[in-house]
Amino acid sequence: ASPSSSDADAISRFQEYLRIDTAQPAPDYAAAVAFLREQAAAAGLEARTLELVAGKPLLLLRWPGRRPSLPSILLNSHTDVVPSEPHKWDHLPFSAALDEASGRIYARGSQDMKCVGMQYLEAIRRLRSAGFVPDRNIYITFVPDEEIGGHQGAELFVSSKEFKEMNVGLVLDEGLASPQEEYRVFYAERSPWWLTIKAKGAPGHGAKLYDGSAMENLMKSMEAIRRFRTSQFDLVKSGEKAEGDVVSVNFAYLKAGTPTPTGFVMNLQPSEAEVGLDIRIPPSAHVEALERRLVEEWAPSSRNLTFEFKQKMSVLDNFGKPAITPADSTNPWWLLLEEAVKSAGGKPGKPEIFPASTDARYFRKIGLPAFGFSPMANTPILLHDHNEFLHKDEYLKGIGIYESIIRTLATHKDGAKDDESRAEL
Ligand SMILES: CSCC[C@H](NC=O)C(=O)O
Ligand SMILES: [Zn+2]
Ligand SMILES: [Zn+2]
């Protein structure tokens, strides 16, 4: 069915946002914030641009509620996107081309996560024009730098005075597309450990056989790492565990050898060899056992191996507990979210652990409940991939889902224990 004029307008606004090149490492944040401030004005929202770091604007929008003392709702999204290889796309990544035949909107950020940022705003437009007024303050944030760790975005924001004044009770952030009809919802995520292991050994003639060369040392470690990786991956392949529940280890780079202007020296065994690892740790992992495995098996000093962490996020929050948001009947926020998705015709899937990392970790770290959710069903998972797309109908359906979520979460349930504690409703 062809979209109504308001649907067509919503789609063209989505395309306009997608056309702004906010790809790392040089996102056009100024253009994105200028566009989003126009959208905020059209949606009747108060807007403030915070520059916690120069050149890294964080846009903070507010929809005042009738009872501002209630814990507020924060709808978060990031404005930056990952780079792409345009020549490998069927449609240029910032063309935001709507393929009429398929109904797909192709663009970098169409899934991750410009769709969500615009769906928040479109849902609020519709709620306001329907005369809805929230009980709680509703905040919408567009933060920078999520794709490079959020260190100058969400991580700074959660310790700012502006954030403290917001009295946030619940955060929604990004999820993942679902190839099934059930939407995916995330209540935790895996913590990134980025690790380098360096092997040293005696150099030697390429024809000489001897033990303990740097390459042999490193290969022994990589073989042990690969066996561990396989053991974890087999748990996923067998269906015994979800991807977010195992420890993943992937090889990010290898570095060794003596370069020359035309290649590498072929008859000199190098005295050093290095591997980079991207490790993701679920909240349930036995961290001490993994650290022991690293020291004793993967990088034992007895084999002239050393290691260095480039990033080592804890699986615990600031209170020493696993950074997890309960997604069951003990958490009234979860029950409301589930009810809101269902009442808008959506099917929430079984709550999962997000396999990668998002800015949600910074909110959970300070003890706030945060769910990862992107309303994309019947959609292949294409974040960070070539030909990332979102079907226009899925996009429009997602606006309706957020209308229901915002209406449900923003309305105070009389009798709830809102005023006594932030964790409760
Ligand atoms: C760990 S900081 C980088 C965050 C990035 N987020 C999504 O892809 C990720 O690699 O998971
Ligand atoms: Zn993202
Ligand atoms: Zn991403």
Side-chain angles (χ1 to χ4, degrees):
S2 63
S4 68
S5 64
S6 65
D7 286 348
D9 291 346
I11 288 168
S12 62
R13 289 191 284 264
F14 178 34
Q15 289 174 294
E16 199 177 340
Y17 185 30
L18 289 168
R19 290 192 185 109
I20 301 173
D21 184 343
T22 56
Q24 291 291 357
D28 187 351
Y29 284 136
V33 166
F35 166 77
L36 291 166
R37 286 189 73 110
E38 284 168 14
Q39 298 307 311
L45 296 169
E46 299 168 8
R48 287 176 66 189
T49 301
L50 308 179
E51 287 231 354
L52 304 172
V53 170
K56 306 276 183 158
L58 186 152
L59 183 60
L60 171 58
L61 309 180
R62 189 167 81 114
W63 186 6
R66 270 191 282 245
R67 297 178 56 181
S69 63
L70 292 173
S72 62
I73 304 295
L74 171 57
L75 307 173
N76 187 57
S77 72
H78 61 83
T79 48
D80 61 324
V81 297
V82 291
S84 37
E85 296 169 272
H87 57 288
K88 294 179 180 172
W89 285 54
D90 300 334
H91 302 270
L92 287 174
F94 292 102
S95 65
L98 169 56
D99 177 76
E100 291 299 346
S102 65
R104 294 172 175 180
I105 300 168
Y106 285 88
R108 174 59 84 221
S110 53
Q111 290 191 13
D112 177 14
M113 71 175 286
K114 288 182 174 177
C115 48
V116 169
M118 285 309 288
Q119 286 166 326
Y120 292 152
L121 297 178
E122 297 295 338
I124 290 172
R125 274 175 183 253
R126 293 188 187 177
L127 286 166
R128 286 183 74 94
S129 53
F132 174 76
V133 178
D135 291 330
R136 305 173 186 282
N137 286 335
I138 306 284
Y139 291 98
I140 306 97
T141 42
F142 292 87
V143 304
D145 282 10
E146 187 279 338
E147 295 293 1
I148 55 175
H151 306 299
Q152 296 188 324
E155 185 172 20
L156 279 183
F157 180 50
V158 296
S159 51
S160 69
K161 68 176 172 50
E162 289 85 0
F163 184 79
K164 289 184 178 57
E165 287 162 4
M166 289 163 61
N167 182 30
V168 172
L170 175 75
V171 181
L172 294 188
D173 203 323
E174 66 187 308
L176 287 174
S178 166
Q180 286 73 38
E181 60 175 352
E182 293 80 12
Y183 287 127
R184 301 180 74 176
V185 194
F186 299 90
Y187 65 97
E189 60 183 57
R190 293 196 294 186
S191 299
W193 285 9
W194 291 348
L195 175 71
T196 63
I197 296 178
K198 185 180 281 187
K200 290 185 182 305
H205 191 286
K208 184 181 172 191
L209 286 174
Y210 57 94
D211 288 327
S213 73
M215 287 295 249
E216 186 193 16
N217 268 342
L218 190 66
M219 300 304 275
K220 265 188 196 160
S221 295
M222 288 179 64
E223 183 46 34
I225 293 164
R226 197 193 60 75
R227 280 197 304 275
F228 174 80
R229 179 183 181 280
T230 301
S231 70
Q232 296 293 302
F233 197 6
D234 285 349
L235 292 171
V236 179
K237 285 177 180 171
S238 67
E240 189 178 333
K241 288 205 170 184
E243 186 178 11
D245 292 316
V246 300
V247 175
S248 64
V249 188
N250 283 314
F251 298 102
Y253 72 83
L254 270 176
K255 198 165 74 171
T258 307
T260 71
T262 54
F264 282 84
V265 174
M266 294 303 287
N267 60 357
L268 165 58
Q269 296 183 63
S271 60
E272 287 189 356
E274 181 177 319
V275 64
L277 303 171
D278 185 342
I279 305 170
R280 303 296 170 119
I281 321 270
S284 58
H286 195 310
V287 171
E288 295 74 22
L290 196 61
E291 287 171 334
R292 239 190 340 273
R293 183 186 293 273
L294 170 59
V295 171
E296 294 171 4
E297 193 185 0
W298 295 359
S301 53
S302 57
R303 281 203 287 115
N304 289 330
L305 292 158
T306 55
F307 63 88
E308 182 191 350
F309 280 101
K310 299 296 185 191
Q311 177 168 220
K312 190 183 186 205
M313 290 291 290
S314 168
V315 295
L316 304 177
D317 65 18
N318 292 349
F319 310 95
K321 293 194 290 128
I324 284 176
T325 298
D328 55 31
S329 57
T330 65
N331 184 353
W333 290 119
W334 165 252
L335 296 175
L336 284 174
L337 178 64
E338 201 179 30
E339 170 203 323
V341 173
K342 286 178 179 170
S343 65
K347 286 186 182 174
K350 181 170 166 293
E352 303 172 62
I353 292 176
F354 195 91
S357 304
T358 69
D359 282 337
R361 69 181 182 277
Y362 295 120
F363 301 107
R364 294 193 187 105
K365 208 159 169 50
I366 60 171
L368 282 181
F371 290 113
F373 176 70
S374 297
M376 296 182 278
N378 307 305
T379 302
I381 303 168
L382 293 171
L383 78 162
H384 300 206
D385 203 336
H386 305 322
N387 293 319
E388 180 181 354
F389 74 80
L390 182 58
H391 194 288
K392 63 179 170 60
D393 294 344
E394 277 303 319
Y395 175 72
L396 294 170
K397 228 188 291 177
I399 297 172
I401 296 285
Y402 277 118
E403 268 188 274
S404 175
I405 288 177
I406 294 168
R407 181 187 291 275
T408 306
L409 294 178
T411 304
H412 176 61
K413 297 283 177 289
D414 287 325
K417 295 184 292 176
D418 241 323
D419 307 317
E420 288 137 36
S421 111
R422 292 157 56 113
E424 302 299 318
L425 279 187

